[in-house]
Amino acid sequence: MITLKEALTLPAEALKEIRDDLKKEIAAKKELGAYVEQLTNQPIGEYGEGIPIALKDNIQVKGWGVTSGSNILQGYVAPYNATVVDNMLRHGLAPFGRTNMDEFAMGSSTESSFYGKTLNPHNPKCVPGGSSGGSAAAVAAGIAIAALGSDTGGSIRQPAAFCGCVGLKPTYGKVSRYGLGAYSSSLDQIGPITQNVEDAAILYDIIAGHEPKDSTSAAMAHESVADKLNPDRKMTIAVIENYLNEASPEVREKMLEGIKALQSAGHTIVYRNFINSKYDIATYYVIATAEASANLSRYDGVRYGNRHNSDSLKEMFIQSRSLGFGEEVKRRILLGTFVLSSGYYDAYYIKAQRARHFIKAQYEAIFQEADLIFMPVTPTAAFEFGSKADPLEMYLSDIYTISLNLAGLPGISVPLGKNQEGLPIGGQLIGQAYGEQALLDGALSLERALGL
Ligand code: GLN
């Protein structure tokens, strides 16, 4: 598959050929389940001219269906473009197909989608990760030049690691959430999933920037990073030693190779510790579910999608929500409603907000001494379908990705190699708020030093 950088140099006829080939390839790899529908069903005419980019099914394209992988949104057609889509169109990129995801971006395996599962291109018995599993599988299988995903607690970085792609979660507010199906508004962020670090920088430059329609969008001019990428800049990189030690042997082995590569590229490695990651999980699942319970209250069966007609409005509301949402989504709405209820608000929600400040302070302390942080993306390589039936076990697969969202910081997942079964393993670099330039410089240097 050609890279985004190469595609940007191609004339219109060559791009048309690439789009036609892609459609054939996608049809041939249908069993992978990376896209939620056959592209021929889509009214792509208006968008058909640019470089094709795959979009997660929670990013709106005017006139297209968009369902966040849920039954409750079947039949819903987006009335306007997400800001990222308008930005893409302005730069000669075009939306090309909706990719599969965990319902409402809640999950780590893409097993909870209304459309069924997506397979890991490296091993069909294994999950592609989630919730942006369709986007990562499409890039890894060579049926997308690049894709967009969203990351609330790891949903770009974790599937990128499981599929062997690069996944960038930008600083909170750098990429507008306007037109993104909301899960947890203070954590959600759109970002690129690509074949390499340079493409991630290029796509990030295209989608980033201030959006006046979005009050959470950072009010600053975007400074391009791709044209200034410098893999030769020497940095101090803090390795989180306790995370390294507690990861599985296969992840530790690849992380140690990553550390060696960073050293050989001239970076200085220092070792630091984080508090127990179990506090990150507890904090995240209180805040994320609280926000989700508020965000998802709009799917009431009256204004959105999938109506269950009944004479009584109340009946319609109950029917629509109980039939329209899947198990995991319902569990989280219940949990979120519980932690926000009077009597429990102080004990859970307020406490989680305090813990969130503490987690942020912990990052700030390390950034007093280091330019970047390096740690695993996941405790293991991709797991098998059905192996994490207990929701709490599934939640534990995010232990290294969620603190970043709580702190609002940018992070990138870079492939470090494969385990003995041929499954990819990723390493995560973390930067300071709005420090995407240093982050991508470090990621490029790691990618080059590993020479994969
Ligand atoms: N796996 C985490 C969750 O289920 C993160 C998901 C995400 O980043 N959207 O909430």
Side-chain angles (χ1 to χ4, degrees):
M1 175 56 62
I2 61 157
T3 63
L4 177 56
K5 186 183 180 186
E6 289 160 355
L8 280 161
T9 64
L10 294 179
E13 316 84 71
L15 285 176
K16 184 178 179 321
E17 216 167 283
I18 286 171
R19 284 192 302 268
D20 290 343
D21 287 349
L22 256 179
K23 281 187 202 167
K24 281 184 213 132
E25 277 291 297
I26 290 167
K29 291 186 178 162
K30 196 168 175 240
E31 75 289 348
L32 199 64
Y35 288 86
V36 301
E37 62 189 352
Q38 288 305 92
L39 298 172
T40 44
N41 296 337
Q42 285 176 1
I44 56 170
E46 188 184 342
Y47 308 107
E49 296 303 305
I51 297 169
I53 304 292
L55 297 187
K56 188 176 180 176
D57 185 34
N58 59 355
I59 298 173
Q60 294 201 11
V61 178
K62 187 177 176 187
W64 284 18
V66 60
T67 73
S68 284
S70 180
N71 184 9
I72 207 163
L73 275 169
Q74 293 304 308
Y76 180 70
V77 174
Y80 59 88
N81 278 338
T83 299
V84 291
V85 171
D86 279 336
N87 289 348
M88 274 174 30
L89 291 169
R90 249 199 304 282
H91 287 86
L93 276 52
F96 189 81
R98 296 148 54 193
T99 55
N100 203 15
M101 59 183 282
D102 280 300
E103 187 180 6
F104 283 105
M106 298 172 181
S108 314
S109 63
T110 314
E111 286 169 290
S112 75
S113 168
F114 170 70
Y115 302 98
K117 57 192 183 188
T118 298
L119 311 182
N120 189 311
H122 299 274
N123 181 345
K125 285 204 193 77
C126 293
V127 304
S131 63
S132 314
S135 290
V139 172
I143 50 174
I145 294 173
L148 292 185
S150 68
D151 191 312
T152 306
S155 281
I156 288 175
R157 290 159 288 149
Q158 186 256 22
F162 278 7
C163 291
C165 324
V166 170
L168 170 68
K169 182 251 164 217
T171 307
Y172 182 78
K174 270 305 294 179
V175 176
S176 173
R177 299 183 300 109
Y178 187 73
L180 170 71
Y183 162 16
S184 177
S185 312
S186 76
L187 301 168
D188 297 340
Q189 192 63 188
I190 298 174
I193 296 181
T194 55
Q195 301 171 55
N196 59 45
V197 172
E198 208 175 353
D199 274 5
I202 292 169
L203 192 48
Y204 165 69
D205 276 341
I206 289 172
I207 61 174
H210 179 53
E211 168 57 84
K213 293 196 285 287
D214 173 358
S215 63
T216 62
S217 156
M220 49 164 65
H222 177 65
E223 274 207 35
S224 61
V225 292
D227 53 340
K228 304 184 194 80
L229 278 177
N230 177 11
D232 299 323
R233 166 172 174 186
K234 307 296 175 226
M235 289 185 268
T236 301
I237 301 178
V239 172
I240 306 302
E241 200 169 15
N242 53 326
Y243 287 5
L244 185 63
N245 292 336
E246 71 190 34
S248 63
E250 57 182 17
V251 169
R252 193 163 58 238
E253 187 191 317
K254 289 295 149 199
M255 280 293 297
L256 291 173
E257 288 173 24
I259 293 167
K260 270 210 199 104
L262 288 167
Q263 276 168 329
S264 73
H267 302 293
T268 306
I269 302 291
V270 296
Y271 291 88
R272 294 290 177 270
N273 284 308
F274 264 4
I275 51 159
N276 193 318
S277 51
K278 74 179 181 193
Y279 299 114
D280 301 351
I281 299 266
T283 307
Y284 171 86
Y285 278 95
V286 171
I287 291 173
T289 59
E291 293 183 11
S293 75
N295 275 326
L296 271 56
S297 66
R298 69 177 61 126
Y299 303 111
D300 55 10
V302 179
R303 291 168 299 171
Y304 286 95
N306 212 4
R307 290 162 196 235
H308 295 272
N309 286 321
S310 160
D311 292 340
S312 123
L313 249 187
K314 185 178 164 205
E315 206 38 49
M316 200 153 105
F317 176 79
I318 293 170
Q319 281 273 322
S320 164
R321 286 171 74 83
S322 70
L323 299 174
F325 287 135
E327 280 308 300
E328 183 59 25
V329 174
K330 281 190 243 182
R331 182 179 297 116
R332 294 192 189 198
I333 291 173
L334 289 174
L335 181 58
T337 307
F338 174 76
V339 300
L340 289 176
S341 58
S342 70
Y344 293 103
Y345 187 82
D346 288 350
Y348 294 108
Y349 188 71
I350 296 291
K351 203 182 220 173
Q353 293 293 6
R354 289 213 188 97
R356 183 175 189 172
H357 280 282
F358 188 71
I359 288 163
K360 195 162 178 239
Q362 174 174 260
Y363 274 110
E364 279 159 8
I366 292 183
F367 283 128
Q368 297 289 318
E369 311 170 284
D371 303 300
L372 297 177
I373 292 173
F374 186 49
M375 62 193 209
V377 185
T378 54
T380 63
F383 45 87
E384 290 194 6
F385 285 103
S387 64
K388 293 198 195 293
D390 175 359
L392 287 179
E393 255 196 55
M394 187 71 85
Y395 298 173
L396 283 175
S397 59
D398 305 320
I399 52 175
Y400 304 133
T401 48
I402 56 185
S403 62
L404 197 70
N405 302 72
L406 290 165
L409 302 174
I412 188 166
S413 171
V414 179
L416 296 178
K418 290 180 178 170
N419 72 4
Q420 278 172 357
E421 285 86 55
L423 287 170
I425 288 176
Q428 179 175 213
L429 282 167
I430 298 168
Q432 307 193 37
Y434 309 111
E436 273 81 358
Q437 184 72 61
L439 178 67
L440 286 154
D441 288 349
L444 184 59
S445 145
L446 174 62
E447 183 181 66
R448 295 224 172 132
L450 285 164
L452 295 170

